[in-house]
């Protein structure tokens, strides 16, 4: 009997993920509904084949996915029926995994299903935030408006990501260049000069002795040092992908000056915008918070969100629960508290998101100003040490020859 991974809401209000055996989706859906569960998503076994094919060759690009949602919202706002809109968008899609998914979505809607239910069958393609937003839009009858809000949210998130990538690209290039320079000097340039110095039988400056010794040590051990370093790098990245490794690194990143502030502010912006999108669509607060917490990339911060939800269930206000989590900036919690008391929580969450998206520009500029001098200073120091080590003996030989 095939197994299905189900995302369910329990009668007590909790949201759980369970693996359930059933002969088919409809049988499973009826059984779960009869037991009082609310069904958010059911992952079918066939999707694993689709996922593996996508990973093997075709991968859905974020720009492609954003364009699809933008076109979907625009055509729905123009008054076209949903099935006609999907048919138009499918024809425009090139052959591949995403088109296959959209064709499956169209088939399910043709058989009488909802768009949110069809999206829920493909959680690896459609994020839960989008599925929940669509569900809220279907309930309120404002699907086009909800999709437009999701598109704006996705654009803002993509803009933050582009800024971070742009900021880190130049320092990364400088770092790679400095490593390549050091490798070239220690394995090729310095050994050439070392041979010249050894034949002179002269006393060498201390800096030259150390640099030549380091170069010889690297050159003589390169055949085992290289593979060991490569294995260490592979082991580090493998460890980083584990739950424990990711949590430890995320906790360390939060303690790094400037970097920690950027992570907190970007997480605050994304979380608040996601929660505002869901609340504006009509979803309950607890469900909105649970879904919005999935956009939190930092594991250390995400670990606090179940406590936030539990605190609200026990009668705490949203701002009190967030303050106890101790990761959101104080100004953000103050603004959320004002919105919660005045009954304008959605508006205030949007304001918080916009404010910290603007603040990120300043923090990212500060990070750039901090990283570039450090990397340039490191490169300059290495080059200076090597130049002094190579040319001080030559100057010494020339001075000694002139004196004689």
């Amino acid at each position: 009997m095939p197994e299905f991974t189900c995302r369910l809401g329990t009668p007590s209000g909790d949201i759980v993920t369970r693996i359930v055996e059933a002969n088919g989706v409809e049988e499973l859906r009826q059984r779960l509904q009869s037991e009082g569960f609310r069904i958010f998503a059911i992952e079918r076994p066939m999707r694993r084949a689709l996922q593996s094919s996508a990973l093997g060759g075709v991968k859905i690009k974020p720009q492609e996915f954003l364009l699809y949602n933008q076109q979907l919202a625009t055509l729905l706002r123009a008054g076209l029926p949903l099935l006609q809109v999907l048919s138009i968008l499918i024809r425009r899609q090139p052959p591949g995994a995403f088109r296959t998914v959209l064709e499956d979505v169209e088939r399910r809607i043709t058989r009488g299903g909802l768009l949110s239910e069809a999206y829920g069958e493909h959680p690896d393609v459609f994020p839960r935030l989008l599925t929940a937003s669509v569900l809220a839009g279907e309930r309120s009858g404002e699907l086009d408006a909800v999709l437009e809000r999701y598109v704006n949210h996705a654009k803002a998130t993509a803009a933050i990501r582009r800024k971070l990538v742009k900021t880190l690209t130049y320092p990364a290039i400088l770092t790679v260049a400095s490593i390549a320079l050091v490798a070239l000097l220690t394995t090729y340039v310095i050994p050439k000069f070392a041979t010249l110095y050894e034949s002179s039988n002269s006393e060498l400056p201390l800096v030259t002795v150390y640099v030549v010794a380091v170069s010889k040590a690297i050159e003589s051990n390169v055949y085992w040092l290289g593979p060991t370093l490569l294995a260490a790098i592979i082991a580090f990245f493998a460890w980083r992908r584990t739950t424990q490794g990711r949590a430890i690194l995320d906790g360390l990143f939060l303690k790094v000056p400037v970097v920690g502030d950027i992570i907190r502010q970007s997480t605050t912006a994304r979380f608040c915008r996601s929660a505002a999108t869901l609340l504006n669509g009509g979803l309950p607060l607890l469900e909105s918070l649970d879904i919005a917490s999935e956009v939190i990339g930092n594991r250390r911060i995400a670990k606090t969100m179940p406590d936030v939800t539990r605190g609200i269930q026990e009668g705490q206000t949203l701002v009190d629960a967030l303050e106890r989590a101790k990761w959101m900036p104080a100004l953000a919690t103050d603004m959320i508290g004002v919105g919660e008391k005045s009954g304008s929580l959605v508006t205030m969450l949007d304001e918080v998101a916009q404010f910290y998206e603007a603040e990120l520009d300043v923090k990212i500029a500060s990070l750039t100003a901090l990283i570039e001098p450090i990397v340039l200073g490191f490169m300059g120091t290495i080059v200076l040490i090597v130049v002094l080590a190579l040319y001080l003996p030559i100057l010494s030989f020339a001075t000694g020859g002139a004196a004689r």
Side-chain angles (χ1 to χ4, degrees), residues 279 335-351:
L279 289 170
M335 294 174 68
I336 291 173
V338 172
E340 194 173 15
K341 291 178 181 177
S342 63
S344 56
L345 180 59
V346 174
T347 302
M348 195 58 70
L349 286 171
D350 273 331
E351 292 290 335

Side-chain angles (χ1 to χ4, degrees), residues 76-88:
L76 288 175
R77 191 169 57 250
L80 295 178
L82 177 59
L83 279 174
Q84 183 179 351
V85 170
L86 285 174
S87 178
I88 293 172

